[in-house]
Amino acid sequence: MAPSLTLSLGIARLRAVLVAPLMLALAACESSEPFNPESSTPPVPEGMAAAPTVASAFAGGIPFGYFRQPTSEFGPRFNGAHRNIAPYALVKELAAIKARGGKVVLMFAGNERHYKEGGHFSLTKWKARVNRFKGVNFGPYVNDGTVIGHYLIDEPNDPFNWGGKPVTPAVMEEMAKYSKQLWPNMPTVVRVEPSYLSSNHHYLDAAWAQYLSRKGTAGDFIKKNVAAAQQRGLGLIVGLNVLYGGTPNGTRMTASEVESWGSTLLGSTYPCAFISWQYNSGYLSSSGILSAMSALRRKAESRGTKSCRSGA
């Protein structure tokens, strides 16, 4: 081989060795998804526990669990949750949740800081956040009921969250309509009591009533919210604020409060899920709290299974 050809080939090989790592680094930098999900999403290693050897079917009744509940906690005590999962991890997480007999409400837009403009809610930015999931094939998990619904927004009625300008029911209807355009079979959910919502929603499916002791008796609370949901033709998710909803206000609920108030909420057959705020391993380390949660799980399981879709 001629010396000049040998030298040329050697230089080409050297360039290939140097360029390949650079291209990989650039590809990683241009990725649209971070390696770690948002702060409101449990880290992937925590959520992605290995599926059990023998897959479990949903036990029946209505889903029961927590916000931010790791996948590893789905099982005999908890089989429902609210989760904010990054697009790249969604299908794998849903497969693991289903294998553990679980169901989940999904938040796609993530932390509200991502869809504010001048401190106020931005529908355009919210749609952009939701669009990240357009290419993710999770439809089978919607159709089989693993996905309870699409959690559109948290506390839209609170002026503090939105720069003094609450998100109106009309805007929430637009959000629900956009979700239905992308995923027609997935119920749409907002975390606000139904009394804040309109009576003419066509695309919004369910409201959410989270009980704290400062909201009066649990009995009056559930009656009021069921009546408001029925009047508007909406589904209803309920739960407890176990970390700040006890007596006195702002304290953690005791085991007796959890079981008593939770049993009262579950005394109604109207709710389609019971999901509380929020998962805390320290709080759940108490044997009394675990016993109360197990008692509520049995009550939730005894309810008739129902969809969170409006009119269901």
Side-chain angles (χ1 to χ4, degrees), residues 12-64:
R13 293 192 186 100
L14 179 59
R15 286 175 177 167
V17 169
L18 293 175
V19 169
L22 177 61
M23 293 301 292
L24 287 172
L26 289 173
C29 292
E30 292 175 359
S31 172
S32 61
E33 289 301 327
F35 286 106
N36 292 318
E38 300 173 298
S39 60
S40 57
T41 308
V44 172
E46 177 187 357
M48 285 186 175
T53 304
V54 179
S56 302
F58 183 71
I62 63 174
F64 175 79

Side-chain angles (χ1 to χ4, degrees), residues 58-302:
F58 183 71
I62 63 174
F64 175 79
Y66 278 99
F67 277 68
R68 299 196 70 191
Q69 180 177 295
T71 303
S72 58
E73 290 300 306
F74 283 85
R77 184 173 286 112
F78 304 120
N79 64 351
H82 167 287
R83 289 283 295 276
N84 178 6
I85 304 170
Y88 68 84
L90 183 60
V91 172
K92 187 173 182 180
E93 282 285 79
L94 289 177
I97 290 169
K98 179 181 178 180
R100 291 176 174 271
K103 295 179 182 287
V104 63
V105 177
L106 294 175
M107 173 60 150
F108 287 163
N111 191 291
E112 63 194 42
R113 69 177 182 272
H114 295 297
Y115 41 96
K116 284 182 178 180
E117 189 76 54
H120 305 307
F121 174 79
S122 167
L123 182 59
T124 300
K125 288 190 172 184
W126 180 87
K127 288 180 178 180
R129 294 289 295 174
V130 171
N131 286 345
R132 299 175 305 144
F133 293 82
K134 287 171 67 173
V136 182
N137 183 23
F138 66 97
Y141 296 101
V142 174
N143 295 334
D144 68 16
T146 301
V147 177
I148 303 169
H150 179 190
Y151 186 97
L152 305 177
I153 193 169
D154 186 72
E155 296 184 330
N157 61 320
D158 190 344
F160 179 80
N161 295 341
W162 311 105
K165 188 177 179 180
V167 183
T168 66
V171 171
M172 283 183 276
E173 179 70 358
E174 284 298 311
M175 297 163 71
K177 181 179 180 180
Y178 188 72
S179 177
K180 294 287 188 179
Q181 289 172 351
L182 299 178
W183 306 288
N185 296 326
M186 184 164 57
T188 51
V189 183
V190 294
R191 192 165 84 93
V192 69
E193 292 182 19
S195 58
Y196 181 73
L197 300 170
S198 301
S199 298
N200 59 347
H201 286 291
H202 300 291
Y203 300 99
L204 182 61
D205 287 300
W208 197 308
Q210 201 87 51
Y211 178 71
L212 304 85
S213 62
R214 66 177 174 82
K215 293 192 174 183
T217 69
D220 289 342
F221 178 82
I222 189 64
K223 288 178 183 176
K224 176 187 72 174
N225 281 285
V226 166
Q230 287 177 322
Q231 183 183 25
R232 292 159 177 77
L234 296 170
L236 181 66
I237 297 176
V238 297
L240 302 170
N241 186 330
V242 298
L243 298 185
Y244 297 101
T247 305
N249 182 51
T251 61
R252 294 185 173 191
M253 291 184 181
T254 65
S256 60
E257 288 173 338
V258 167
E259 186 166 355
S260 174
W261 296 337
S263 295
T264 299
L265 299 185
L266 288 167
S268 170
T269 59
Y270 193 81
C272 58
F274 189 108
I275 300 175
S276 298
W277 196 91
Q278 69 173 337
Y279 181 86
N280 182 287
S281 58
Y283 181 75
L284 291 170
S285 65
S286 163
S287 60
I289 294 296
L290 288 178
S291 177
M293 291 297 170
S294 294
L296 295 184
R297 162 63 189 266
R298 291 191 292 271
K299 291 180 183 296
E301 197 170 315
S302 71

